Amino acid sequence: MILECIDEVRVDHDDGKRYLFEERDRFGYVYEVDEALGEMALATGKVVELTDYEGPTEIPSWGLG
């Protein structure tokens, strides 16, 4: 799943890790994540799913307290 961050958010995943999605200036970072983490992030309302995106992606930071 490809997501763009529109506002910084931390998401607690079932794997026990907390993932940080960061925004960058006027354009958000674009992340590629698995379906489960993507659904949790989308539920926050602070990321949007991108379709037909073919550019570079980031990996969200994890292990944050």
Side-chain angles (χ1 to χ4, degrees):
M1 180 177 280
I2 307 291
L3 304 175
E4 181 178 17
C5 183
I6 55 177
D7 193 10
E8 184 174 301
V9 64
R10 288 173 171 80
V11 177
D12 292 323
H13 193 291
D14 293 338
D15 64 8
K17 297 176 184 170
R18 176 177 287 175
Y19 291 85
L20 172 64
F21 293 84
E22 297 179 281
E23 65 172 325
R24 181 180 66 190
D25 300 324
R26 295 179 8 189
F27 304 102
Y29 280 113
V30 176
Y31 297 93
E32 185 169 3
V33 299
D34 66 33
E35 194 75 21
L37 182 57
E39 292 298 327
M40 294 173 138
L42 285 171
T44 68
K46 295 185 176 189
V47 299
V48 294
E49 185 174 9
L50 299 179
T51 57
D52 301 328
Y53 178 80
E54 296 183 14
T57 59
E58 302 284 333
I59 298 172
S61 302
W62 61 272
L64 303 171

